[in-house]
Amino acid sequence: MGSLRQRSGRSGRPGRARDASDTDARTRILDAAEKLFAGVGYEATPTAEIARLAEVPKGLVFHYFPRKIDVLVTLIDERTLVEESPEVEAVPGDAAGTLSRLARRLPLSASPAMRRILFREADTHGSVRDRLGRLNGEIIRRARFALELALPTRRGDAARLEVAAVTFAAVLLYQENLCQLTGHHIDPDAVAELIAHALG
Amino acid sequence: MGSLRQRSGRSGRPGRARDASDTDARTRILDAAEKLFAGVGYEATPTAEIARLAEVPKGLVFHYFPRKIDVLVTLIDERTLVEESPEVEAVPGDAAGTLSRLARRLPLSASPAMRRILFREADTHGSVRDRLGRLNGEIIRRARFALELALPTRRGDAARLEVAAVTFAAVLLYQENLCQLTGHHIDPDAVAELIAHALG
Amino acid sequence: MGSLRQRSGRSGRPGRARDASDTDARTRILDAAEKLFAGVGYEATPTAEIARLAEVPKGLVFHYFPRKIDVLVTLIDERTLVEESPEVEAVPGDAAGTLSRLARRLPLSASPAMRRILFREADTHGSVRDRLGRLNGEIIRRARFALELALPTRRGDAARLEVAAVTFAAVLLYQENLCQLTGHHIDPDAVAELIAHALG
Amino acid sequence: MGSLRQRSGRSGRPGRARDASDTDARTRILDAAEKLFAGVGYEATPTAEIARLAEVPKGLVFHYFPRKIDVLVTLIDERTLVEESPEVEAVPGDAAGTLSRLARRLPLSASPAMRRILFREADTHGSVRDRLGRLNGEIIRRARFALELALPTRRGDAARLEVAAVTFAAVLLYQENLCQLTGHHIDPDAVAELIAHALG
DNA sequence: GATGAATGAGGGTTCATTCAT
DNA sequence: GATGAATGAACCCTCATTCAT
C-alpha cells in the first residue's frame, strides 16, 4: 500500500506498537481509497465504499475530506512524490547502463496502486495531471542529464540527445500505463541499449 | 454492427443538401456521444446530455442502444478501424523515412475525437481495450516489417530490431495519449531518425 | 395453449392447412400474451415482449388492442368461458359421486394457463374479477343443485346444504390457486366424500 | 430483521405524546408501504409514493431498504407472525366448537392490511409465499390436532380426519382471499359444524 | 392495414453531501 | 470530534403509446 507517513498515531498512545486496527482513521481512509481507486477507478468508487473498506463511519470520510475529490488529491499529494533533485548517477561512457539505472529507479515514490491511479485518473483532476506531467518532465530531465554525462563527446547534436531523452521517457511511462492495457511488454534495458547505440 | 455509414439520409429527399438536423437520429446520437465522450469522458456524460446534443428525445437513445455502454461499444466498433492489411510501403535503405511514413499514417481510421476516446476509455470496456491492443500490435508489426525491409542487411540481431519496433510504437501511442496529458510533444520523425541510426 | 377459436384464418386461404406461422396475427398475439401473463404476470409483461414472442411487429399489438389492458380483457373474454347452463348430472343417492364429477369437470372452459391468469390477475381488472366471481357462483350453484338432487331426503336444513356447497366451491377454487402457492394438495374426491357424509 | 417495534421514538422527548410525525422514519415508511401495498398492490406502488405518504424524502426509503422488494420482505418479516406453538384449546366432544375457536383466532398476528398483502403478494416474492405456506400448514396442523382431541373416539380413519383439516384450512384462507375477490362470504362456524358432523 | 421509429413520463436506484446529535 | 440518518438531484433505464409512412 505504499508508505503511509503515519500522522502521529492519533488513536494510539505514542510508543505503542501499531497494528492494522490501530492505524489512524484518516490513514485507513486513504488506504481504502488507494485500493479502490486503483481497482475500479475514482468515478466508480462511492465514498460509502471507501468508508466501509476503511471500517470508519461514512461521515468521517467527509470530516477529513470535505469533497470526494479531496481524497484523490490528497492521495496524489501525500502518496506520490516526484523526486526532482538532480541526483542522477551517470557513468561517463556508459549511456546504456545509465539509462537502465534510471529505468530501474524511476524518480517516483509511489506504490504500484498509486502509479496505477496516477495514470488512470490523469483526466480526473488537474492535480493528478500535473503530477504526471512533472514525472514525465523529471524523467526527461534525468535522461537528458544522464546522456549528457554518459556520452563520451558531444557527438550528435543536442537535438538528437533531446529526442533520445523524450523517447526513453515515453517508453518508461508507456511501460507503466498502456502496457497494462495492451499486454505488450517492453524491456527498458534493451531500449536503453538501443538508444545508447544510436547516440554512441 | 460492422460499418454502417451507408445508412444515408432516411429523412431527406435524395439530392437535398444535408445539414445537421437532416441526418439520421442514430447517427446524430453517435455524433453527440463521440463529441461528449471525447470531451468529458464516458462516465461523466449522462445519456440525457447525449440526447440533448443530438436533439433527439431521451428515450430514442435507448431505442438504438439499450445500454449506455452500447453507445461506446458501437462507437468503437463503427468509428475506429485498425487496418490490419500488411500494406507497408518500405523503402530499402531508408529506415527513417519508412518509419516516418508509418507515423504519418497510423493504421487507424478514426477521427481525432475517436482517437481520444480510444485511449481515454481503454479502462471502461473490454472492447475498447481490445481495439487499442490491436492498434498497438499492428503498429509494432508494421514497424518491424518496415525496418526489416528498409535495413540494408540484417545488421544487428532480430531482437534489437524488435525493440526498435516496440519503442517506436510506444512513441506513437504516447504521442496520442499521454502527450495530451503531460503537454510534452514528440517529433516522430526525429524518433524515426534516431532509431534508424541505432540500427543503421 | 388451449382452444384458440381461430378467427377465420385471416392470413391463409380457406381450406388450406394451418401451421403455426400461418396463424393469424391477432391469435398469435393472444397466444403469446396468454403464455406470458400466466408465467410472469400481466404487470411484468411488456407489450414489446408479447410482440416478440408472437413474432409480430410491436405496432400491430396496438393495432388490435389499443390499450395493453385490452389484451387481458380479450383473453378473459374469449378464452375463459364459465358454463352457466344448468346441466348438472346428479345421481340421486350418490351425493359424493355427484360432487366428484363436478370437481372433475369444472364449469370452466379454459387452458391451465388461462386458469392461472384468472386467479392471478383478479386484482388487475374488474372484468377478470367478475369472471372469477361468476365461476365461483356457478360452482356453488351446481354444487347446491347436485346436492339437492343427490340427497335422498331433505335431511338437514337448506342452510347446511348451502354451507356444503360453498365449502366445496372453496375447495375447488383453492385447489387451483393457493395450492400452487403453498404446495399443499387437496383431493376433491375425498372432500366430496366428507361432505356427502356430513349431509348423509 | 427480526421483530423491531422497540425502535421507539428517536425523535421525541420521553414522555411526550406520540403522533404520526413523531414516529420513526423507518416505521413511517413501513406504515405507508403497508397501506399502499394492501390498497393497490406492490407492483403498482412507486417508492416515491411510499415516501410521500410517509412524509420522508425519497432517498430515505432506500437508506433503510436498499431495494424496493426489501420493504415488502421486511413487512412480512416484521409484521406477520405465524404462531407455531401447539397451543390449541380443544374441547373433547366439541369438534365444531373447537374448529370455530380456531377460526376465530387464526395463528396469525397481522393487521388486516398485512393479511391482504400476505395473500395478494404471494406471487411477488418467495418470502411471502413461504409465510403463507407456513400459515396454511399451521392451520392444518391445528385443525388436525383439534379434531383428534375433540372427537370422542377415533371414528373414521385418519385419512378422513386429514381431509377435514385440509378442507377447513382451505375455507379459512379462502375466506380472507378469494372472498374479497368474488364477494362470496363463508361462515366458518357453519363449516366447522358441517365438518364436525361429517366426522361425528 | 402494417410497421418500427419516436416520445416522454415515470420508475428504481445511487450517491455526494449535510447536519443534528 | 464523530456519527449515521437525512436529503434530493441525477442517473440509467423501461415502457405504454403515438404516428408518419
Side-chain angles (χ1 to χ4, degrees):
Chain A
M1 200 56 55
S3 69
L4 299 191
R5 219 151 311 121
Q6 220 138 16
R7 284 164 66 82
S8 83
R10 177 191 319 272
S11 60
R13 275 180 260 111
R16 227 179 355 120
R18 301 279 157 69
D19 68 305
S21 74
D22 191 36
T23 339
D24 115 336
R26 186 176 179 280
T27 301
R28 290 217 307 283
I29 292 169
L30 289 175
D31 288 347
E34 179 177 336
K35 186 177 294 184
L36 291 167
F37 291 172
V40 299
Y42 172 83
E43 295 266 23
T45 301
T47 53
E49 180 66 16
I50 298 175
R52 202 171 307 131
L53 186 59
E55 293 180 277
V56 301
K58 192 164 47 148
L60 202 52
V61 174
F62 287 92
H63 179 68
Y64 286 116
F65 309 99
R67 322 261 114 184
K68 185 188 175 188
I69 193 67
D70 295 332
V71 180
L72 178 60
V73 170
T74 302
L75 231 28
I76 291 294
D77 226 43
E78 298 186 0
R79 297 192 175 186
T80 72
L81 179 63
V82 175
E83 297 153 15
E84 288 176 328
S85 58
E87 40 158 279
V88 180
E89 19 170 357
V91 173
D94 182 17
T98 300
L99 288 184
S100 278
R101 272 189 298 281
L102 171 54
R104 208 146 289 134
R105 221 182 67 63
L106 278 192
L108 173 66
S109 307
S111 67
M114 283 308 309
R115 292 173 183 226
R116 181 102 184 83
I117 293 172
L118 192 60
F119 290 110
R120 162 172 234 166
E121 306 299 342
D123 272 316
T124 306
H125 197 262
S127 69
V128 187
R129 192 158 43 245
D130 288 352
R131 190 62 57 107
L132 184 59
R134 282 241 291 281
L135 174 59
N136 188 38
E138 179 65 16
I139 293 179
I140 292 175
R141 209 171 56 74
R142 289 190 178 208
R144 184 194 307 126
F145 184 70
L147 287 172
E148 281 169 353
L149 284 186
L151 288 178
T153 69
R154 204 100 333 153
R155 269 211 44 175
D157 49 358
R160 169 172 288 175
L161 194 144
E162 183 68 19
V163 168
V166 169
T167 298
F168 196 65
V171 165
L172 290 191
L173 291 183
Y174 175 89
Q175 181 191 13
E176 293 246 2
N177 185 22
L178 281 190
C179 251
Q180 190 157 13
L181 300 174
T182 63
H184 277 99
H185 293 288
I186 301 185
D187 176 9
D189 289 348
V191 178
E193 200 270 342
L194 183 81
I195 285 177
H197 196 259
L199 299 178
Chain B
M1 294 302 158
S3 69
L4 76 171
R5 207 73 44 144
Q6 69 279 24
R7 277 184 166 262
S8 83
R10 175 195 56 76
S11 60
R13 279 180 255 110
R16 242 214 302 157
R18 301 279 155 72
D19 69 308
S21 76
D22 191 34
T23 24
D24 221 51
R26 185 175 179 280
T27 302
R28 289 216 306 285
I29 291 168
L30 290 176
D31 288 347
E34 179 177 337
K35 187 174 297 184
L36 291 166
F37 290 172
V40 299
Y42 172 83
E43 295 265 22
T45 301
T47 53
E49 181 66 19
I50 297 175
R52 202 172 306 129
L53 185 59
E55 292 179 279
V56 301
K58 199 168 43 146
L60 198 55
V61 174
F62 291 95
H63 177 69
Y64 287 111
F65 309 99
R67 322 258 117 184
K68 184 189 175 189
I69 192 67
D70 295 333
V71 181
L72 177 59
V73 171
T74 301
L75 232 27
I76 292 293
D77 223 45
E78 298 186 358
R79 298 192 174 185
T80 72
L81 179 64
V82 175
E83 298 153 16
E84 288 175 328
S85 57
E87 39 159 280
V88 181
E89 19 169 359
V91 173
D94 182 17
T98 300
L99 287 184
S100 278
R101 272 190 299 280
L102 172 53
R104 208 145 289 133
R105 224 182 64 64
L106 279 192
L108 172 68
S109 308
S111 67
M114 283 309 308
R115 291 172 183 229
R116 180 104 183 79
I117 294 172
L118 191 60
F119 291 110
R120 159 171 235 166
E121 306 299 343
D123 271 318
T124 306
H125 197 262
S127 70
V128 188
R129 193 158 42 244
D130 287 352
R131 191 60 59 108
L132 183 59
R134 282 242 291 282
L135 174 60
N136 188 37
E138 181 64 16
I139 293 179
I140 292 175
R141 209 171 57 75
R142 290 191 177 207
R144 184 193 307 127
F145 184 70
L147 287 172
E148 281 169 355
L149 284 186
L151 289 179
T153 69
R154 201 102 333 152
R155 269 211 42 171
D157 50 356
R160 168 172 288 175
L161 194 145
E162 183 68 21
V163 168
V166 170
T167 298
F168 197 65
V171 165
L172 291 192
L173 292 182
Y174 176 88
Q175 180 192 15
E176 293 245 1
N177 184 23
L178 282 190
C179 254
Q180 193 155 14
L181 299 174
T182 63
H184 277 100
H185 293 289
I186 300 186
D187 175 10
D189 289 349
V191 177
E193 200 269 341
L194 183 81
I195 286 177
H197 197 260
L199 298 178
Chain C
M1 198 57 53
S3 69
L4 298 193
R5 218 152 311 122
Q6 219 136 17
R7 286 167 63 85
S8 83
R10 176 191 321 271
S11 60
R13 276 180 258 113
R16 240 200 320 143
R18 301 277 158 73
D19 69 306
S21 76
D22 191 36
T23 338
D24 113 339
R26 185 176 179 282
T27 301
R28 289 217 307 284
I29 291 169
L30 290 176
D31 288 348
E34 180 178 335
K35 185 175 295 184
L36 291 167
F37 290 171
V40 299
Y42 172 84
E43 295 265 22
T45 301
T47 53
E49 181 65 17
I50 298 176
R52 202 171 306 132
L53 186 58
E55 293 179 278
V56 302
K58 191 163 48 144
L60 203 52
V61 174
F62 287 92
H63 179 68
Y64 286 117
F65 308 98
R67 321 261 117 185
K68 185 188 174 189
I69 192 68
D70 295 333
V71 181
L72 177 59
V73 171
T74 302
L75 231 28
I76 292 293
D77 226 44
E78 299 185 0
R79 297 192 175 185
T80 72
L81 180 62
V82 175
E83 297 153 15
E84 288 175 330
S85 58
E87 39 158 278
V88 181
E89 19 170 358
V91 173
D94 182 18
T98 300
L99 287 184
S100 277
R101 274 189 297 280
L102 172 54
R104 208 144 288 133
R105 224 182 64 63
L106 280 191
L108 173 67
S109 307
S111 67
M114 283 309 307
R115 292 173 183 227
R116 182 104 184 81
I117 293 171
L118 193 60
F119 290 110
R120 160 172 236 167
E121 305 300 343
D123 273 317
T124 306
H125 198 261
S127 70
V128 187
R129 192 158 44 244
D130 288 352
R131 190 62 56 108
L132 184 59
R134 282 241 291 282
L135 174 60
N136 189 37
E138 180 64 14
I139 293 178
I140 293 174
R141 210 171 56 74
R142 291 190 177 207
R144 186 194 305 126
F145 184 68
L147 286 173
E148 281 170 352
L149 284 186
L151 287 179
T153 69
R154 201 98 338 149
R155 268 211 41 174
D157 49 356
R160 169 172 288 175
L161 195 144
E162 184 68 19
V163 168
V166 168
T167 298
F168 197 66
V171 166
L172 291 191
L173 291 182
Y174 175 86
Q175 180 193 16
E176 294 243 2
N177 186 23
L178 280 190
C179 250
Q180 190 156 14
L181 299 175
T182 63
H184 276 100
H185 294 287
I186 301 185
D187 175 10
D189 289 349
V191 178
E193 201 269 343
L194 183 81
I195 286 177
H197 197 259
L199 298 178
Chain D
M1 296 301 155
S3 68
L4 76 170
R5 209 73 44 145
Q6 68 279 26
R7 277 182 168 265
S8 83
R10 177 195 55 75
S11 60
R13 279 180 255 111
R16 225 184 350 129
R18 301 279 155 71
D19 67 307
S21 76
D22 191 33
T23 24
D24 221 50
R26 186 175 179 280
T27 303
R28 291 216 306 281
I29 291 169
L30 289 176
D31 289 346
E34 180 178 334
K35 187 174 296 183
L36 291 166
F37 290 171
V40 299
Y42 172 83
E43 295 265 23
T45 301
T47 53
E49 181 64 19
I50 297 175
R52 201 171 306 128
L53 186 58
E55 292 181 280
V56 301
K58 196 168 48 145
L60 198 54
V61 174
F62 290 94
H63 177 69
Y64 288 111
F65 309 99
R67 321 259 119 186
K68 185 188 176 191
I69 192 67
D70 294 333
V71 180
L72 177 59
V73 170
T74 302
L75 233 26
I76 292 294
D77 223 44
E78 299 185 358
R79 298 192 174 186
T80 72
L81 179 63
V82 176
E83 298 154 15
E84 288 176 329
S85 58
E87 38 158 281
V88 180
E89 18 170 359
V91 174
D94 182 17
T98 301
L99 287 184
S100 277
R101 272 188 299 279
L102 172 54
R104 208 146 288 133
R105 222 182 65 65
L106 279 192
L108 173 67
S109 307
S111 67
M114 284 308 308
R115 292 173 184 228
R116 180 104 184 81
I117 293 171
L118 193 59
F119 291 111
R120 160 171 235 168
E121 305 300 344
D123 271 319
T124 305
H125 198 262
S127 69
V128 187
R129 191 158 44 244
D130 288 351
R131 191 61 60 105
L132 183 60
R134 282 242 291 281
L135 174 60
N136 188 38
E138 180 65 16
I139 294 178
I140 292 175
R141 209 170 59 74
R142 290 190 178 208
R144 185 194 307 127
F145 183 70
L147 287 173
E148 281 169 354
L149 283 186
L151 288 180
T153 69
R154 202 101 332 153
R155 270 212 41 177
D157 49 356
R160 169 172 288 174
L161 194 146
E162 184 67 21
V163 167
V166 169
T167 298
F168 196 64
V171 165
L172 291 192
L173 290 183
Y174 175 87
Q175 178 192 17
E176 294 244 1
N177 185 23
L178 280 189
C179 253
Q180 192 154 14
L181 298 174
T182 63
H184 277 100
H185 293 287
I186 301 185
D187 176 10
D189 288 349
V191 177
E193 200 271 340
L194 183 81
I195 285 176
H197 196 260
L199 298 178

